[in-house]
Amino acid sequence: MSAGTGAVPASVDVLTFGETMLAVQLPGPLAVGAQARTTVAGAESNVAVGLSRLGHRAAWAGLVGDDEPGRLVLRTLRGEGVDTTRAGTHATAPTGGMLRERRVADLVRVHYWRGRSAASQMTPADIAPALGDGARVLHLTGITCALGPGPLEAVRAAAAHAHAQGWTVTLDVNHRQRLWTAEEAGRALRPLLPHLDVLIASDDELPVVTDAFAATADGEERAVDALLEAGVREVVVKRGGEGAAYRDRQGARHARPALRVPVLDTVGAGDAFCAGYLSGLLDGLPPAERLARANTLGAFAVASEGDWEGLPRRDELGLLAAAPGTAIR
């Protein structure tokens, strides 16, 4: 199955939108004054970068402040080949920020500064021009829904429009406990289910969108049943180091194991997984191969520093098959 084309020729393969922030990354605890590295990060733009590196046409239509962090966001995304033509700039609200500190070993703690940010002021009108351009796939995440009532309405309007136009609509649940509770997330996300073709969630996020089932083997099965009955075409479950699984409304089931790589940084792995899955969808790969590509991008992410910096180009997808310590000459 390949992604839908919509009623008119799509200007891009994948359209996504949300909040991309100035990201300050510390190799140690903030309390001891570890030296910082600045970059940009955001769930949706991470996916867009991953897709662009694999040769797909990806557009990001988020909202940033009229400030230097906002200019850095747009400059970075353009440099990665992401279409930011429909990205907006808010005249008074600032670009959001995040700080990520490696607290101990591979445990990472993330702090956000998103209140009253430019992205939190987003409305359906901000997204309308990008929707008017057309896309094969609309990719959404639960994070944007958590930013405030305006962004939630923008997501709902976009999902309804894309569904009506015959695009493929995907949602990564991406629950962030520091942004909202599971109950709040569930109330916001469940109305989207009839518009979704693909729902992607980690195994512990399934209860957020089903409001009924615990994250057990039996609970996962029943949760996926409920999502398919609600209208979702296919459900992809991320299981971290155990790989990923797929089920669809036709009864097909697939599972693929994760690749074994040294873990340097797990932040951004879920976004990389989504980029890999969408890439396989766009390329018309069967479900098992989509899972394999998703797991491959997830492995690149966890084996690299940063949210998106280590993601592969298309000719690099096979690199992780090389033996540890290999020098490619």
Side-chain angles (χ1 to χ4, degrees):
M1 182 200 68
S2 59
T5 58
V8 297
S11 65
V12 295
D13 294 320
V14 177
L15 168 65
T16 191
F17 62 90
E19 180 163 48
T20 298
M21 299 165 286
L22 174 69
V24 179
Q25 300 180 352
L26 304 179
L30 175 63
V32 299
Q35 187 173 7
R37 180 177 77 89
T38 57
T39 181
V40 304
E44 299 84 5
S45 58
N46 293 343
V47 172
V49 169
L51 288 164
S52 179
R53 287 194 177 186
L54 292 177
H56 303 289
R57 299 170 300 155
W60 180 83
L63 200 59
V64 298
D66 185 15
D67 49 30
E68 198 56 40
R71 287 185 279 276
L72 175 63
V73 166
L74 297 178
R75 187 165 60 247
T76 301
L77 295 183
R78 286 195 297 267
E80 287 293 329
V82 176
D83 185 342
T84 61
T85 303
R86 296 301 190 180
T89 300
H90 197 285
T92 56
T95 304
M98 63 179 286
L99 184 146
R100 192 172 79 197
E101 57 174 337
R102 188 178 298 278
R103 183 60 186 84
V104 60
D106 59 354
L107 189 151
V108 173
R109 187 162 56 184
V110 179
H111 310 271
Y112 296 113
W113 288 268
R114 315 179 87 147
R116 300 187 178 181
S117 68
S120 72
Q121 310 303 307
M122 190 184 308
T123 68
D126 294 309
I127 305 304
L131 293 172
D133 291 341
R136 296 174 63 191
V137 175
L138 173 69
H139 179 64
L140 306 167
T141 83
I143 293 177
T144 302
C145 299
L147 298 179
L152 175 58
E153 286 305 312
V155 168
R156 287 176 172 170
H161 174 88
H163 179 74
Q165 294 296 315
W167 307 359
T168 297
V169 184
T170 67
L171 172 73
D172 179 11
V173 173
N174 221 335
H175 181 232
R176 293 289 182 266
Q177 295 179 2
R178 291 195 172 189
L179 296 179
W180 56 359
T181 66
E183 291 75 18
E184 291 169 329
R187 286 195 297 270
L189 297 179
R190 283 191 292 275
L192 295 173
L193 296 179
H195 299 309
L196 300 181
D197 296 289
V198 182
L199 183 138
I200 301 173
S202 58
D203 47 8
D204 61 352
E205 289 172 335
L206 288 173
V208 173
V209 282
T210 55
D211 192 34
F213 307 106
T216 64
D218 177 65
E220 178 181 314
E221 186 80 3
R222 292 161 60 202
V224 174
D225 285 341
L227 291 168
L228 296 174
E229 290 169 3
V232 179
R233 188 177 67 204
E234 57 193 60
V235 178
V236 180
V237 181
K238 298 176 289 184
R239 295 175 175 159
E242 300 304 312
Y246 167 101
R247 278 182 59 195
D248 64 26
R249 296 178 70 182
Q250 284 68 50
R253 295 172 179 261
H254 301 276
R256 292 299 291 261
L259 279 69
R260 300 302 174 190
V261 295
V263 176
L264 296 181
D265 188 348
T266 60
V267 178
D271 305 328
F273 179 96
C274 289
Y277 191 85
L278 294 180
S279 173
L281 191 70
L282 290 163
D283 284 350
L285 300 182
E289 292 183 36
R290 291 180 230 155
L291 291 180
R293 184 171 293 180
N295 285 339
T296 295
L297 262 69
F300 269 95
V302 301
S304 308
E305 296 284 356
D307 286 34
W308 52 267
E309 289 86 338
L311 296 183
R313 310 287 177 183
R314 189 170 285 259
D315 62 357
E316 296 176 320
L317 285 171
L319 284 180
L320 296 180
T326 297
I328 299 176
R329 304 177 186 273

